[in-house]
Amino acid sequence: MPLHAKIDEARGPAILDLNPVYCRIEHAVPRHRLPAEPMDPAAALALVRDELILDGNARLNLATFVTTWMEPEAEQLMAECFSKNMIDKDEYPQTAELERRCVNILAHLWHAPAALADDDGPDDGASRGSATGCSTTGSSEACMLGGLALLWRWRARHGATAGLPGSGVKPNLVMGANVQVCWEKFCRYWQVEPRMVPMEPGRLHLTGPEAAARCDQNTIGVVAVLGSTMDGSYEPVAEIAAALDALQHDTGLDLPIHVDGASGGFVAPFLAPDLEWDFRVSRVASINTSGHKYGLVYPGVGWIVWRDAAALPDDLVFRVNYLGGDMPTFALNFSRPGSQVAAQYYNFVRLGFEGYRQVQLTCQQVARFIAEQVAGIGPFELLSDGRDLPVVTFKLADQASARYTVFDLSERLRQRGWLVPAYTFPENMQGTAVLRIVVRNGFSQDLAGLLISDLRTQVQVLEAARREPVPLLPGGQRSAFAH
Ligand SMILES: Cc1ncc(COP(=O)(O)O)c(C=O)c1O
């Protein structure tokens, strides 16, 4: 049974309580069963809204990379497009066209060799360049598609049955242990061995030598993350490619790289234009990003672009004809709203290169400010300071002797509404617990100042609690540091 479908009858009475001023109804509204009768729409809206006020404030959610604010014009456009199904390309050819333009814009931004340049002439509706790609529900789906393309290409090199049960050969994918869970999912769902390079103190992501050392003839490719979920740092794509070049020189193995640019794909082109991490690196076969992260669109939209048709095996692609053109589609999902794609295109035309640069630069400046302030509070050691992704990660410098943990701090910040997650690092560094602050568009320097002031106060409270009785948290629970 799916996790969320589990009916927990113990969580509140079976009947929902409707405020009598919303409407008079003659029947009870069950909590876990379909009501027998309809109710007034305004009452239904009030009922659901009332329940949702218990959710955290999305703008104060510093755990997520996902967009929590868009301008009213974008929201209006999205509302107008909710009813359009992205997959109905014949029925909504202009939405499909906007998707195609977005792919071209990203291919160009990421220096795909034949991507359409500004001066390539008017759009005549024909297929552009040799780069190809599509929108997805997010980076997770895009990573699945990227991984599948690597797997299919490996199979093409090793015979159609290679890697299938009974073949005696298992394909593997090389990546850092810091990858997002979508890559573990990919490996489990498609029966690929995950070859994870563990983190080490001082090396929080994949490096070239570590990657090359784990590759063999059954490696389908190497994943490099531009913007590690753990600490926001960029993995050195060019260095990883150089190590794979040397490996090819020594062994003949020619291995492709997929760049997981879930966040960095929309940050590096604007803040680090000279950093070579994209299709300028010839070994990079494909790149994904999340339109709903630093692409500045509400969830859920992701993107994947392949360098050229050779990087995307043809038998993975389904083709539909519309307006006399040839529209390749490759997706795990079928139906989804057209609103996010329309909103992505809106952001592209609304902001342009300079608008995106300003938004990301502001995020970076706020992150650098937070990092500086956190370092000044005293007990913390910074693990990332916002110089790559606008993400600040820090731990207690002296974890062993502190009588409180970053989990206590996270819990106490929640009392003021700040959602700052605490978590431990993966394999090899499970003993390291950190707090992570993700700065997104809309998190101003003023808000950052308030956050720092609250962080400082909570540190003082926890430090003082070493000597005094531990204050109670809501619900009468004592914080973990008291034990
Ligand atoms: C590096 C990386 N890859 C993939 C994902 C999954 O992205 P999505 O939420 O768009 O599916 C994330 C999410 O945080 C991520 O940080």
Side-chain angles (χ1 to χ4, degrees):
M1 180 183 278
L3 271 182
H4 295 293
K6 189 161 176 276
I7 295 173
D8 185 357
E9 301 281 5
R11 298 194 63 173
I15 304 299
L16 283 163
D17 184 27
L18 187 67
N19 187 325
V21 301
Y22 290 160
C23 75
R24 297 189 66 81
I25 55 167
E26 303 305 321
H27 59 279
V29 184
R31 189 180 296 267
H32 299 298
R33 305 274 184 274
L34 190 66
E37 302 291 333
M39 77 164 82
D40 182 72
L45 178 63
L47 183 81
V48 179
R49 261 197 191 144
D50 278 4
E51 179 129 14
L52 290 175
I53 52 181
L54 275 174
D55 275 347
N57 179 336
R59 292 283 297 281
L60 300 184
N61 180 0
L62 304 177
T64 186
F65 287 88
V66 174
T67 300
T68 44
W69 180 84
M70 289 187 78
E71 43 197 11
E73 290 82 356
E75 292 187 344
Q76 189 188 332
L77 180 67
M78 289 184 80
E80 287 165 14
C81 297
F82 281 140
S83 57
K84 296 186 186 182
N85 190 344
M86 199 60 229
I87 201 71
D88 292 342
K89 300 195 192 279
D90 277 329
E91 290 73 10
Y92 308 119
Q94 283 320 114
T95 306
E97 167 62 15
L98 297 193
E99 179 190 33
R100 208 170 60 92
R101 287 185 203 166
C102 288
V103 168
N104 276 329
I105 288 169
L106 287 172
H108 187 232
L109 194 64
W110 297 337
H111 302 95
L116 180 65
D118 288 345
D119 53 1
D120 279 357
D123 188 349
D124 60 8
S127 193
R128 293 293 186 180
S130 60
T132 181
C134 58
S135 66
T136 60
T137 48
S139 274
S140 299
E141 187 187 0
C143 292
M144 293 286 160
L145 303 184
L148 276 173
L150 296 179
L151 181 59
W152 252 242
R153 287 175 66 194
W154 173 83
R155 274 205 194 130
R157 292 195 297 273
H158 288 76
T161 57
L164 296 178
S167 67
V169 178
K170 190 162 184 179
N172 67 71
L173 182 64
V174 172
M175 54 198 149
N178 53 302
V179 289
Q180 211 262 358
V181 67
C182 66
W183 289 106
E184 292 174 57
K185 285 188 195 172
F186 167 78
C187 287
R188 196 173 303 171
Y189 296 168
W190 307 103
Q191 302 190 338
V192 170
E193 177 199 340
R195 288 214 175 146
M196 302 274 190
V197 178
M199 290 167 136
E200 304 284 351
R203 185 180 57 68
L204 301 184
H205 58 221
L206 192 65
T207 60
E210 294 285 349
R214 283 162 181 83
C215 293
D216 60 25
Q217 70 281 6
N218 292 324
T219 302
I220 63 172
V222 174
V223 174
V225 185
L226 201 78
S228 169
T229 320
M230 295 289 155
D231 66 347
S233 62
Y234 291 162
E235 291 189 334
V237 179
E239 179 204 294
I240 293 168
L244 295 179
D245 289 346
L247 183 76
Q248 182 175 10
H249 180 263
D250 295 344
T251 65
L253 285 175
D254 182 8
L255 299 176
I257 294 176
H258 172 89
V259 179
D260 178 354
S263 295
F266 266 109
V267 176
F270 304 105
L271 298 189
D274 296 331
L275 181 73
E276 302 216 340
W277 63 274
D278 52 15
F279 292 118
R280 283 170 288 183
V281 178
S282 60
R283 217 167 262 286
V284 171
S286 46
I287 301 172
N288 71 274
T289 196
S290 297
H292 58 218
K293 294 193 174 98
Y294 290 97
L296 309 177
V297 179
Y298 286 139
V301 62
W303 299 96
I304 178 156
V305 178
W306 287 269
R307 162 183 293 281
D308 50 33
L312 176 59
D314 209 40
D315 55 344
L316 283 174
V317 180
F318 294 79
R319 291 181 190 281
V320 290
N321 293 326
Y322 77 105
L323 292 183
D326 180 30
M327 182 78 188
T329 75
F330 178 28
L332 299 184
N333 216 60
F334 194 69
S335 299
R336 75 191 145 87
S339 18
Q340 282 82 2
V341 166
Q344 184 75 77
Y345 188 68
Y346 167 87
N347 276 350
F348 283 150
V349 294
R350 154 88 174 98
L351 295 173
F353 187 93
E354 184 53 23
Y356 264 101
R357 197 186 69 83
Q358 280 174 20
V359 168
Q360 317 303 27
L361 185 63
T362 304
C363 289
Q364 190 175 58
Q365 285 165 346
V366 172
R368 300 302 294 261
F369 166 76
I370 291 173
E372 230 178 75
Q373 297 294 313
V374 164
I377 293 178
F380 302 118
E381 179 185 327
L382 287 173
L383 296 173
S384 64
D385 62 1
R387 77 182 55 198
D388 289 342
L389 291 185
V391 169
V392 181
T393 322
F394 51 101
K395 62 173 190 164
L396 283 165
D398 188 1
Q399 236 167 200
S401 59
R403 287 194 57 221
Y404 60 92
T405 66
V406 288
F407 297 95
D408 295 315
L409 266 171
S410 170
E411 198 168 308
R412 299 197 73 90
L413 286 171
R414 228 172 214 268
Q415 295 176 357
R416 279 276 284 168
W418 303 112
L419 304 173
V420 179
Y423 57 93
T424 51
F425 277 164
E427 202 185 334
N428 254 17
M429 288 188 66
Q430 291 100 329
T432 303
V434 299
L435 285 167
R436 186 191 69 188
I437 296 170
V438 176
V439 178
R440 297 183 311 276
N441 186 24
F443 193 68
S444 63
Q445 180 107 355
D446 288 346
L447 279 170
L450 291 170
L451 168 68
I452 291 299
S453 150
D454 285 338
L455 180 62
R456 189 173 286 118
T457 305
Q458 294 309 329
V459 167
Q460 282 163 3
V461 170
L462 290 170
E463 297 274 346
R466 289 173 172 194
R467 296 177 293 279
E468 291 160 19
V470 176
L472 287 181
L473 293 169
Q477 302 241 314
R478 285 191 192 279
S479 163
F481 69 87
H483 305 306

